[in-house]
Amino acid sequence: MNRTRIAAAVLALLPAVPALAADKLPSVVVLATGGTIAGAAGSDVQAAYTSGQVGVDQLLAAVPQAKKLATLRGEQIANIGSQDMNDEVWLKLARRVNELAALADVDGIVITHGTDTIEETGYFLNLVVKSKKPVVLTAAMRPSTALSADGPLNFFNAVAVAANKDAAGRGVLVVVNDWIHGASSLTKTSTTAVQTFLSPLRGLVGTVAYGEAEFYRGPVGKNTVDSEFSLDGVTALPRVDIVMAHENMDGAIIDAAAAAGAKGIVIAGVGNGNMTKAGLDALAAQAKKGVVCVRSSRVATGRVGRNVEVDDDKLALVASDDLNPQKARVLLRLALLKPRSLAEVQKLFVEY
Ligand code: ASP
């Protein structure tokens, strides 16, 4: 039995999710971007595979059970491994989400994505989507051809959440492996495990098991309709680079980032956003020249506080609060779309 049929057989055994009459079903649009959920391998038990091989129609056809939850239609935004995610796709995706969310006959949106950068895309959308309607990203760790592929049930659960009225107003969500994460809180923690996503500081928004969702709380941090960020008139995003701190760090990479045109630099610092004196000197020198420099941490969890071991006030630096480097970079890129004082940038890191 192939993987699709195994998934279909498993789902057929599940307790029925309360099905609505066809004319009352919520309408959910699926925007596909690629990733392992659309990946394929030469056999069902091999590690090597290629992301973004399966189109949106095939994805929908592989989970016919989802049609009991919502009226579905799909659009292909891209078909790439999310390691290749880029600004062009981001801007296209964000615009399409905003267009669709504004339509009266769209109740929710599901976005299929790779796991590598889903936390960045999710957080970006969390800041620029202007709607309270559910926008739910989902992904898979195993390609669609794998034994025990996780994509079909993740997709089913994502549709269930996008079709659920209680999901509205909770910011952009990410549904993977039965857990509902806020886009601002989740992070990928394992290169291969199916249970890769955690929301270490802010916790889960809810859980979803075979389409039955339970919500525990609202989103933490300003988002969507409360966000001040907008892509109106935006055709390009400012360059922000991430530099990782380490033993014996010098300032060469920081200077190289600025020389390459970075308007902002995020440090993935050691501990509480720390780095060597040489690194700090180089960072402070760039900050003095007007590059906006944010201290985040390479540690998996915990906040980076202002003026703890580094004198941010004196060196004109910003502390990332609880955003990890990759999310701090997203916020900083949007923050730099207009001139802001350092105090204003710091406030954004506390509020979002
Ligand atoms: N490299 C893949 C991607 O991010 C990994 C995945 O989807 O799990 O597209």
Side-chain angles (χ1 to χ4, degrees):
M1 201 188 285
N2 69 22
R3 183 214 43 81
T4 306
R5 285 175 58 205
I6 293 170
V10 169
L11 283 168
L13 295 173
L14 306 177
V17 171
L20 296 166
D23 59 342
K24 296 225 180 75
L25 283 179
S27 158
V28 171
V29 181
V30 179
L31 301 179
T33 70
T36 299
I37 194 166
S43 99
D44 56 3
V45 286
Q46 75 179 53
Y49 71 97
T50 312
S51 280
Q53 297 298 295
V54 172
V56 67
D57 293 336
Q58 252 178 295
L59 252 168
L60 293 179
V63 195
Q65 298 83 351
K67 290 195 189 118
K68 289 186 186 159
L69 304 172
T71 304
L72 293 173
R73 66 186 171 84
E75 293 179 21
Q76 196 80 47
I77 296 290
N79 209 354
I80 55 177
S82 76
Q83 58 269 45
D84 274 327
M85 192 46 67
N86 56 61
D87 292 357
E88 196 189 331
V89 177
W90 265 11
L91 294 175
K92 181 177 173 191
L93 178 63
R95 295 223 156 86
R96 193 62 189 135
V97 170
N98 275 320
E99 278 166 12
L100 289 166
L103 299 177
D105 63 350
V106 172
D107 298 300
I109 295 166
V110 167
I111 299 164
T112 56
H113 198 286
T115 60
D116 288 355
T117 59
I118 197 170
E119 63 190 278
E120 288 162 72
T121 300
Y123 189 53
F124 175 67
L125 294 174
N126 199 48
L127 300 178
V128 299
V129 164
K130 301 289 168 200
S131 175
K132 286 190 166 190
K133 289 183 184 173
V135 175
V136 181
L137 288 94
T138 192
M141 288 299 284
R142 297 177 179 147
S144 67
T145 48
L147 191 66
S148 290
D150 50 334
L153 190 50
N154 284 345
F155 179 78
F156 181 81
N157 281 334
V159 171
V161 172
N164 189 324
K165 280 194 168 60
D166 286 348
R170 295 182 194 268
V172 171
L173 301 172
V174 179
V175 169
V176 178
N177 212 28
D178 291 4
W179 283 3
I180 307 171
H181 300 266
S184 62
S185 62
L186 91 159
T187 192
K188 187 172 181 177
T189 64
S190 165
T191 53
T192 56
V194 168
Q195 178 57 314
T196 185
F197 288 107
L198 299 176
S199 286
L201 280 178
R202 299 183 179 188
L204 293 179
V205 167
T207 58
V208 52
Y210 305 109
E212 291 283 6
E214 182 155 356
F215 293 96
Y216 305 142
R217 62 170 181 82
V220 178
K222 283 168 93 174
N223 63 77
T224 56
V225 290
D226 297 324
S227 164
E228 63 208 83
F229 302 108
S230 159
L231 293 180
D232 287 350
V234 172
T235 52
L237 295 166
R239 176 173 179 144
V240 171
D241 289 335
I242 299 173
V243 176
M244 189 188 276
H246 48 81
E247 175 272 340
N248 211 38
M249 176 192 199
D250 66 16
I253 309 290
I254 291 170
D255 293 343
K263 304 289 177 248
I265 295 174
V266 174
I267 300 291
V270 294
N272 200 336
N274 292 320
M275 69 212 83
T276 57
K277 171 148 183 352
L280 206 52
D281 287 348
L283 196 67
Q286 292 303 339
K288 215 169 175 187
K289 289 187 203 158
V291 178
V292 180
C293 297
V294 175
R295 294 185 307 106
S296 180
S297 179
R298 68 182 203 181
V299 178
T301 163
R303 299 172 65 195
V304 171
R306 243 192 116 67
N307 301 322
V308 178
E309 286 187 78
V310 173
D311 192 338
D312 294 302
D313 291 347
K314 187 169 142 211
L315 302 179
L317 304 177
V318 173
S320 74
D321 201 62
D322 64 356
L323 291 183
N324 66 17
Q326 52 273 36
K327 289 211 183 76
R329 175 178 173 271
V330 174
L331 179 58
L332 187 53
R333 296 187 83 194
L334 289 168
L336 291 173
L337 283 171
K338 71 169 209 189
R340 293 174 205 264
S341 69
L342 279 186
E344 286 167 341
V345 175
Q346 182 65 72
K347 192 162 173 266
L348 295 176
F349 275 85
V350 173
E351 290 179 349
Y352 288 84

